[in-house]
Amino acid sequence: MGRLFGTDGVRGVANEGLTAELALGLSVSAAHVLAEVGSFEGHRPVAVVGRDPRASGEFLEAAVVAGLASAGVDVLRVGVLPTPAVAYLTGSLGADLGVMLSASHNPMPDNGIKFFAQGGHKLADELEDRIESLYREHGAGQSWARPTGSGVGRVRDYDEGFDNYVAHLVGVLPNRLDGLKVVIDGAHGAASRVSPEAFARAGAEVITLGTDPDGLNINDGCGSTHMQGLRAAVVEHEADFGVAHDGDADRCLAVDGQGEEIDGDQILAVLALAMKDAGRLRKDTVVATVMSNLGFKLAMAREGIEVLQTAVGDRYVLEEMKRGGYALGGEQSGHVIALDHATTGDGTLTGLMLAARVADTGKPLAELADVMERLPQVLINVRDVDKSRVDTSAELAAAVSDAERELGRTGRVLLRSSGTEPLVRVMVEAADKEQADSVAGRLADVVKSSLG
C-alpha cells in the first residue's frame, strides 16, 4: 500500500479511496500524534475545520469533526472557506491545528484532507508519516485512549471566520482599489463569497461568474483551469482586468483588459517590482520553481532582483522562503506566497495585491505585465523509458549540452522525470518558437533512443 499523504495532503475519489472511515481515523490519529509531540502543551486543544463546496465535503467534514471531538479536541467549524482562510484562522485564533477538506482544482468527485499545525503552517513530512503510521496501527487492531464525559471535544460553528478573514485581506493592502472594475471567476469554489466581498470592500466594482456553487459544479468549465469565460467577460464588461481562482482558492491567474491571460510568472514579476519599490522585497529576492519561464528570470535580473529556483511544487517554494527569510515566491500555475501576510498560497490575496498595483500606478495590467516577455516553452512527454538513467546517460548529456549551446543565453533545456509514471518530460525554451519545437523534438528522440 502506498503512502497516503502526497505533496498536498491526502486525496482520492470521495467515498471510494477517500472514505468517511479514513477521514475519521486520520483525524483521531492527528490529534494523538500532535498531543504526543507536545503541540497541545497540556491544554485542551482546539481545531479549525473548513471545506470547499463539494457535496462530499459535507459527510467528510462530519467525519473529521467526529474524529477530532472523540479525541478530546474542541472544534471550530468555519464552513466553506478557502484553504488559506483555514490556515490564517488557525494562526490568528491560536488554534492547535487546522483541517481543510478540498481537492483544489481536481474535478468534483475527488476530495482531500490537509492538516495545518499551530500558526497555520503545513505539517512536516515526519509528522504526516507518524499520523499515517498510527492510523495503520489502529486499523490493525491497536486501540487508542478515548476520553469520556467532560473530556470529549465540543463542536461549534464559527461564523465570524468569514468576516475575520476578509478584514485581514483588505487590511494588508497598501492602497484602495477605487475606480477599478474587476471580473472575478470563483470556480464555483471556496472563494465564491470571499473574493467578491474582499474586492468590493477594498473599493473595486465587481462583476462575478463561477460564484454559485451547488456542490456539484466546482471547477466545471470555469476557474483557473478554464479561462475562456473570464476572458470573454472582461472584454464584454470593459473591465480593467479579471482574476480566476481554483476550487480551494490558493491560486490566482489573471486576464488583462484585452482578454489576454496573465500567468503566475507574470503576476509574480508585477508583485516583485511592487514590493521592491515599497522596500518590502527582502534581500531583493523572489523564489520560483525550475519551471518558471526563462523570460521571468531575465526580466528580474534586468530589474536587479535575484531569482532562486526550487523543485516544482509550492511546498518547495515555501520551504526555501522560510529557510532564507524571503517575502515573495510562487509558481507559473498561480500559487503565489506573500509570506508577510499568509502561510500558504492565497489566490484572493494575490488578486488583491495585483489590483492594488494597478490602482497605485494607474497603468493597465497589460503594461505592467510587459515587464517580462514569455519565451516560447515547448513540453514533450516521452513515455515508456527508463527514467532512472536520465542523469547517467552520456548520450543524453551530450545532446543536452549541444542543445544549450545552440539556444544560447535566451534559451534553456530542462529534463524532468515523472514521479509516478515511466516517462521523461523534455522542456525547451527559446526566443523563437520554431527553434524551441525543433530542439525539443530532437531531444525527445534522443531520450527515446538512449533510455528506451
Side-chain angles (χ1 to χ4, degrees), residues 74-88:
D74 290 338
V75 177
L76 299 176
R77 192 166 46 196
V78 299
V80 175
L81 282 179
T83 291
V86 173
Y88 168 74

Side-chain angles (χ1 to χ4, degrees), residues 383-397:
R383 300 184 181 277
D384 300 320
V385 294
D386 183 2
K387 63 184 180 183
S388 67
R389 293 194 290 118
V390 168
D391 297 326
T392 59
S393 169
E395 180 185 359
L396 185 55

Side-chain angles (χ1 to χ4, degrees), residues 84 87-88 91 116 119-122 318 322 337-345:
Y88 168 74
F116 292 102
H121 299 280
K122 185 183 184 298
L318 181 58
K322 289 179 176 178
I337 304 170
L339 204 51
D340 288 339
H341 310 301
T343 59
T344 184

Side-chain angles (χ1 to χ4, degrees), residues 189-380:
S192 294
R193 287 179 60 220
V194 161
S195 197
E197 179 69 15
F199 272 84
R201 287 193 196 180
E205 178 185 348
V206 177
I207 297 161
T208 62
L209 65 154
T211 55
D212 296 303
D214 60 12
L216 307 177
N217 58 0
I218 189 170
N219 299 319
D220 186 8
C222 57
S224 59
T225 54
H226 303 278
M227 302 276 282
Q228 310 94 310
L230 179 62
R231 295 176 62 181
V234 168
V235 174
E236 176 188 351
H237 294 281
E238 298 182 341
D240 292 286
F241 67 95
V243 297
H245 302 300
D246 58 340
D248 71 333
D250 65 350
R251 72 172 70 180
C252 169
L253 295 178
V255 169
D256 67 25
Q258 286 73 51
E260 297 298 319
E261 292 184 23
I262 305 294
D263 69 13
D265 286 338
Q266 292 169 292
I267 292 173
L268 203 57
V270 173
L271 297 186
L273 290 180
M275 292 176 66
K276 186 185 182 197
D277 289 348
R280 294 187 291 109
L281 188 67
R282 289 195 291 277
K283 304 179 185 179
D284 284 341
T285 298
V286 62
V287 181
T289 77
V290 293
M291 287 299 290
S292 288
N293 194 280
L294 179 59
F296 170 74
K297 191 172 183 178
L298 295 174
M300 293 298 94
R302 187 177 64 247
E303 299 294 333
I305 296 173
E306 182 178 2
V307 177
L308 296 181
Q309 292 184 293
T310 72
V312 176
D314 60 323
R315 66 177 300 174
Y316 301 112
V317 172
L318 181 58
E319 287 172 2
E320 179 63 22
M321 291 176 69
K322 289 179 176 178
R323 185 198 65 77
Y326 305 113
L328 183 67
E331 294 186 284
Q332 193 178 72
S333 61
H335 283 112
V336 174
I337 304 170
L339 204 51
D340 288 339
H341 310 301
T343 59
T344 184
D346 190 324
T348 303
L349 177 61
T350 300
L352 288 166
M353 292 173 65
L354 194 63
R357 181 63 166 175
V358 172
D360 181 51
T361 61
K363 296 179 180 179
L365 179 56
E367 181 179 342
L368 294 174
D370 273 348
V371 66
M372 67 162 279
E373 177 187 359
R374 282 189 292 188
L375 297 181
Q377 198 173 62
V378 177
L379 180 65
I380 299 177

Side-chain angles (χ1 to χ4, degrees), residues 27 243 254 269 400 422:
S27 299
V243 297
V400 169

